[in-house]
Amino acid sequence: MVNLQTSERRVPARAAVLSLGALAIPILGATIFPEALGDYAALLWLTALIPAFLFAYYRGWQGAATALALGMATLSTTEAVSTWLGSPVPDLLLGIVIAYVAITMGIGWLAEILHRDRDEVEELAFTDALTRLPNRRHAEVFLENEFAAAARGRPLSVVLFDLDRFKAFNDSLGHEAGDAALEAFADVLIQTTRRMNLSARFGGEEFISILAGTDLKGATIFAERVRSGLAALRLGSGGLTVSAGVAAYDGTHFDPKELIASADRALYEAKRDGRDRVRAAGVATSEGADAWIEDEAEEEDAAVRLAPHHVAPLGEGRSALVVEEDAQLRGLLVTYLEASGFSVAEASDGDEAIRALAREFDLVVIELRLKRVHGHEIIRAVKSRHPTTQVFVITALQDAHIAADALHAGANRYLFKPFAMPELQAHLVDALKHRDHLLAQEERRRELTPEGIERANAAHDAILGGTRALVRAVEVRDPYTAGASTRVAAYAEILADALDPDAMLLPREMLRIGCEVHDVGKIGVPDGVLNKAGALDPVELAEMRKHPEIGRSILEPIIDDPIVLAVTSWHHERWDGTGYPDGLRAEAIPLAARVVAVADALNALTRPRAWRAARSWEEAMKIICDASATAFDPDVVTAVVELQDALKEI
C-alpha cells in the first residue's frame, strides 16, 4: 500500500526539538526559580502537553505513549532533584499528574481516530473500489520509483492486460457479471504477483503489472500464467480471455510513459493476432513469441537466457563477425547470434578482424575503441571490400560524436552500451532486409545490358521526378511552403561548402535532393493541421510530427541513399535530444540532418505562415543563435553567422 502506516511515520526533527524545549521549562522552573513561582510552579507542567500533541499528531497512540513516558520521566526526575535540593513540592502536583495523564491519553485517542480516517482516505485514493487492486495513480507512483531504479541498472518490465471483447461480455451477461469478472481477474493477478511487484487496475478492463527485477522473458512467462489462470476460470457461457503486451526497460526509454507505450504496442499486436495471447516488444514474430512462452525453464546460464530471441531463424544461412576486446560481452554477442542462426567468427582485436575480412560477412559488429587498429579503419576495410555488409558499431553513450563519425565512415547502425537484446534484434531485422535489398540490386545490375542500364537510369530519374511532384503537391496544399525546398537546398549547400569543403561527408547532389524532398511526408498530414491559422493542439502536433517517418517510408523503397534518408528522417531532431521522431542528440544526428535543420529553420523564420508574419533577417538570426547547443549544432550555427551575407542573398 502507498499510504504510510502509523508505525512508519516519523516525528520531524523540529517537532522533537520543540518537545524537548517544552519539557525543559518545568525542570528549569522547579530547580532554579522554585521560590519565585511558588504554588504556580506546577502550572509550568502544562507545557509538557506540547510533546503529547506533537507526538500524537505524527504517531497516534504510539506517539502519545512516548510523550507520556517522557513527561513522567521528566516529572519524576525533577521531583527527585527538587527534594534533594530541599525545594518544596507544590500541593497541586498530584492533580497536575492526573490531568496530564488523562489529557495525554485523550489526545492519543483522538489522534488515532484521525490517523485511521486519513489512512482510509489515502487507501481509497490509491485503490480501485471494485477490485481492491491498486489504481492507476498508485501504479504510476510505483512505476516512477522503479523506473529510476531501472535507469541505474535494475531490470524492470511492464505488462498491460486487456480483457478480450469485454463490452460484449458485459452487454450480454449484465453489469453484475462484468463486475464479477473484473474481480475474478483481479484475484488471478493477486495470486500471481509477487510481493515486491505491483498489479493494478489501469482503467476499465485494462490492468497493468509492474515487475521489478524481472527481464522480458520472465515478464512474458508471468503474463502467460495470468492468461492461463483466467482461461481456467471459464467465466460466462463462452468464457473470458485476456490479451497481454510485455515490454522491458532497455535504456532507450526516457520516461515511464515510453515503457508503457512499448507494452501498449505489444498489446495491440496480441489483439491483432487474434486475442487470447501474449506478445512481447522486441520479439520479431508472433510464432517466435508463442515459442518463447512455451519454454518456461528459468535457466541461469546466460546463453540459454538469450536463446528465446532466436526463435525466428533470423540469421539462418548468414554469417557474422564480432570484433570486441571485452571477452564477456563478446561471448554474449556470439552466443546470441549463434542462437539466432548465424555462423559466427570472432576477433578480440583489430588485427584479427582485418585478417578475418578475407571472407565476406553479412554482418560485422565492432567495438569502436580497439587497441592498435581503430574501429574506423575496420569499418573502411569492410566497406571497401564488401560494400553490402552491414556494420554495427558499439560504443558508450558519452561517445556519441564517435558513433556519428563511424556512420560517416560507412557504418550502418550504432548501439550505445548498455543495450538490450530486443533492441539489437530490431536493428538486425532492418539491417538484413537492407542487405538483401542491396544484393538484389547488384544482381539486377549485373544482368543489365548497356541499354538496360540506360533505361534503369531513366527509370530512376522518373522516380525522382515523381517524388519531386509529391513535394510540389505538398506545396500546393500548403502555399506558405512554396519554393521552400529550393531555398533550403541553397542554404544547405552554402553551409556544406564551409563545413565539408571536400564533399566527403556531404555529397552535394544527394544533399540537394535530400533538401528538395525533406518535407515529402507532409503529404500524409491532414489539411486542417497543415494550414491551421494558429498554434497546434497536442493531437494536431502529434499528427504533424509524423511527417519525417511518413517521408522516410515513402522514399526508402525508391531512393537508396543514406544522405537523402537521413535528411528526411532527422531534420527535426535537436542537439539536446528533445527532437523527433527518434530523440537523437548531438553528433549522433547525421551531419546532413544537422545542416538541413538550421537551413530549414532559417527558411521557415523568414517566410510568412498562416498564423504569423515573416520574421526579419535579424530576428531570425537571433532566434537561431539563441538555440545554439539546444536545438542546433553549435558549429552549424557558427557557420550561419559567418556566412549570413551569402545566405541573405538567397
Side-chain angles (χ1 to χ4, degrees):
M1 300 299 292
V2 167
N3 61 296
L4 299 172
Q5 299 300 321
T6 301
S7 61
E8 296 172 343
R9 296 190 178 95
R10 294 184 179 180
V11 178
R14 289 181 300 176
V17 171
L18 181 60
S19 297
L20 291 176
L23 291 173
I25 291 175
I27 296 175
L28 295 174
T31 57
I32 299 177
F33 309 108
E35 295 179 358
L37 294 173
D39 291 339
Y40 295 102
L43 297 177
L44 291 180
W45 283 97
L46 292 176
T47 61
L49 292 174
I50 293 175
F53 280 105
L54 292 175
F55 277 63
Y57 175 79
Y58 288 105
R59 294 178 61 85
W61 272 121
Q62 291 184 5
T66 302
L68 181 60
L70 289 174
M72 296 304 293
T74 303
L75 176 63
S76 301
T77 302
T78 304
E79 184 178 0
V81 172
S82 297
T83 302
W84 181 70
L85 294 175
S87 300
V89 178
D91 295 336
L92 296 176
L93 185 58
L94 179 60
I96 291 296
V97 171
I98 295 173
Y100 177 74
V101 172
I103 293 173
T104 301
M105 298 302 290
I107 291 171
W109 176 69
L110 289 173
E112 189 67 21
I113 292 175
L114 290 174
H115 280 306
R116 289 177 181 176
D117 289 343
R118 185 168 67 177
D119 289 343
E120 288 180 8
V121 171
E122 289 180 353
E123 183 176 353
L124 289 173
F126 285 94
T127 305
D128 177 62
L130 175 64
T131 63
R132 305 305 297 172
L133 284 174
N135 61 13
R136 182 172 187 143
R137 183 184 176 194
H138 189 161
E140 289 173 345
V141 171
F142 186 84
L143 183 56
E144 285 281 354
N145 293 332
E146 293 303 327
F147 191 87
R152 298 190 295 269
R154 184 185 185 188
L156 173 65
S157 297
V158 166
V159 184
L160 279 181
F161 295 97
D162 189 88
L163 297 176
D164 298 324
R165 299 186 176 90
F166 183 72
K167 185 179 184 302
F169 180 93
N170 216 15
D171 291 344
S172 61
L173 298 178
H175 291 291
E176 289 187 4
D179 289 348
L182 292 173
E183 291 174 330
F185 183 67
D187 289 340
V188 173
L189 282 177
I190 291 170
Q191 294 166 12
T192 312
T193 306
R194 294 184 296 173
R195 286 181 176 270
M196 63 181 291
N197 298 325
L198 181 137
S199 289
R201 188 178 180 187
F202 212 51
E205 65 270 22
E206 194 170 47
F207 296 78
I208 187 171
S209 293
I210 302 165
L211 310 178
T214 304
D215 61 11
L216 192 66
K217 179 182 178 182
T220 307
I221 293 170
F222 165 85
E224 176 60 20
R225 287 172 179 161
V226 172
R227 187 197 67 80
S228 301
L230 178 64
L233 297 180
R234 302 301 299 169
L235 299 170
S237 57
L240 186 65
T241 61
V242 66
S243 299
V246 185
Y249 176 83
D250 59 8
T252 65
H253 303 98
F254 288 102
D255 58 48
K257 292 181 180 178
E258 291 190 7
L259 183 58
I260 292 175
S262 295
D264 195 42
R265 287 191 291 271
L267 175 60
Y268 172 79
E269 293 284 337
K271 293 285 189 181
R272 188 192 63 184
D273 290 345
R275 299 180 175 85
D276 190 21
R277 62 199 66 216
V278 176
R279 290 291 174 261
V283 177
T285 64
S286 60
E287 292 81 3
D290 290 337
W292 182 6
I293 292 168
E294 288 171 6
D295 178 17
E296 295 194 8
E298 295 284 351
E299 299 89 346
E300 290 299 322
D301 181 71
V304 180
R305 288 176 62 192
L306 294 175
H309 294 280
H310 84 281
V311 289
L314 183 63
E316 186 174 339
R318 301 180 188 268
S319 59
L321 171 65
V322 177
V323 186
E324 170 61 62
E325 290 180 344
D326 186 316
Q328 183 177 10
L329 178 56
R330 185 173 71 250
L332 286 172
L333 287 169
V334 169
T335 299
Y336 174 77
L337 291 171
E338 287 179 341
S340 299
F342 287 89
S343 169
V344 184
E346 53 184 297
S348 60
D349 57 42
D351 291 334
E352 284 187 30
I354 295 296
R355 290 193 294 271
L357 290 175
R359 56 176 285 205
E360 181 175 2
F361 295 91
D362 294 274
L363 171 72
V364 176
V365 182
I366 303 173
E367 163 63 58
L368 282 179
R369 292 187 177 275
L370 297 171
K371 298 175 183 176
R372 294 192 295 275
V373 180
H374 198 276
H376 292 170
E377 296 179 53
I378 301 175
I379 295 170
R380 286 190 285 271
V382 173
K383 289 299 185 179
S384 64
R385 303 178 192 186
H386 316 295
T388 61
T389 293
Q390 298 298 289
V391 178
F392 284 22
V393 296
I394 300 174
T395 189
L397 181 59
Q398 62 267 27
D399 293 332
H401 62 286
I402 298 177
D405 291 343
L407 294 179
H408 297 146
N412 299 95
R413 296 168 187 271
Y414 61 84
L415 292 167
F416 287 134
K417 295 187 289 188
F419 56 87
M421 290 306 173
E423 179 187 3
L424 174 59
Q425 179 168 2
H427 282 297
L428 285 174
V429 171
D430 291 341
L432 294 177
K433 285 182 180 177
H434 184 59
R435 172 169 163 81
D436 290 342
H437 175 67
L438 295 177
L439 291 173
Q441 280 188 329
E442 281 193 357
E443 185 64 28
R444 287 194 293 270
R445 289 193 190 100
R446 285 194 292 268
E447 295 174 355
L448 288 175
T449 62
E451 294 80 8
I453 293 174
E454 185 176 347
R455 287 196 299 271
N457 290 335
H460 181 270
D461 291 342
I463 289 171
L464 192 56
T467 305
R468 288 176 172 138
L470 283 176
V471 174
R472 288 193 292 273
V474 172
E475 293 180 349
V476 169
R477 295 176 65 222
D478 182 7
Y480 293 97
T481 62
S485 59
T486 303
R487 288 189 296 275
V488 171
Y491 290 147
E493 285 193 87
I494 291 175
L495 296 174
D497 288 341
L499 296 165
D500 181 33
D502 297 326
M504 296 296 291
L505 302 178
L506 300 171
R508 300 299 184 266
E509 180 184 2
M510 304 320 296
L511 179 63
R512 185 169 56 254
I513 292 173
C515 292
E516 290 177 6
V517 301
H518 75 285
D519 272 340
V520 68
K522 287 184 177 178
I523 197 75
V525 177
D527 286 340
V529 175
L530 203 58
N531 296 309
K532 183 177 180 180
L536 302 179
D537 63 33
V539 175
E540 293 165 337
L541 187 61
E543 285 293 327
M544 180 64 80
R545 288 186 168 187
K546 292 178 182 177
H547 80 267
E549 294 175 288
I550 296 173
R552 186 181 184 96
S553 66
I554 292 172
L555 296 177
E556 202 162 25
I558 56 179
I559 299 180
D560 183 27
D561 183 82
I563 296 294
V564 176
L565 296 178
V567 169
T568 304
S569 302
W570 297 313
H571 64 280
H572 283 295
E573 299 289 356
R574 289 170 54 100
W575 184 259
D576 60 7
T578 61
Y580 62 91
D582 296 317
L584 301 181
R585 68 184 69 209
E587 287 89 350
I589 307 169
L591 180 59
R594 284 181 265 150
V595 168
V596 174
V598 178
D600 191 38
L602 185 59
N603 172 73
L605 289 168
T606 55
R607 302 293 294 180
R609 287 290 185 267
W611 63 93
R612 63 160 174 81
R615 310 269 191 180
S616 69
W617 183 266
E618 290 72 22
E619 288 178 310
M621 291 299 298
K622 183 179 186 307
I623 291 171
I624 288 175
C625 289
D626 288 346
S628 177
T630 54
F632 305 125
D633 181 344
D635 291 338
V636 181
V637 173
T638 299
V640 169
V641 173
E642 293 173 350
L643 299 168
Q644 61 177 308
D645 291 339
L647 295 168
K648 193 173 182 180
E649 291 180 5
I650 296 172

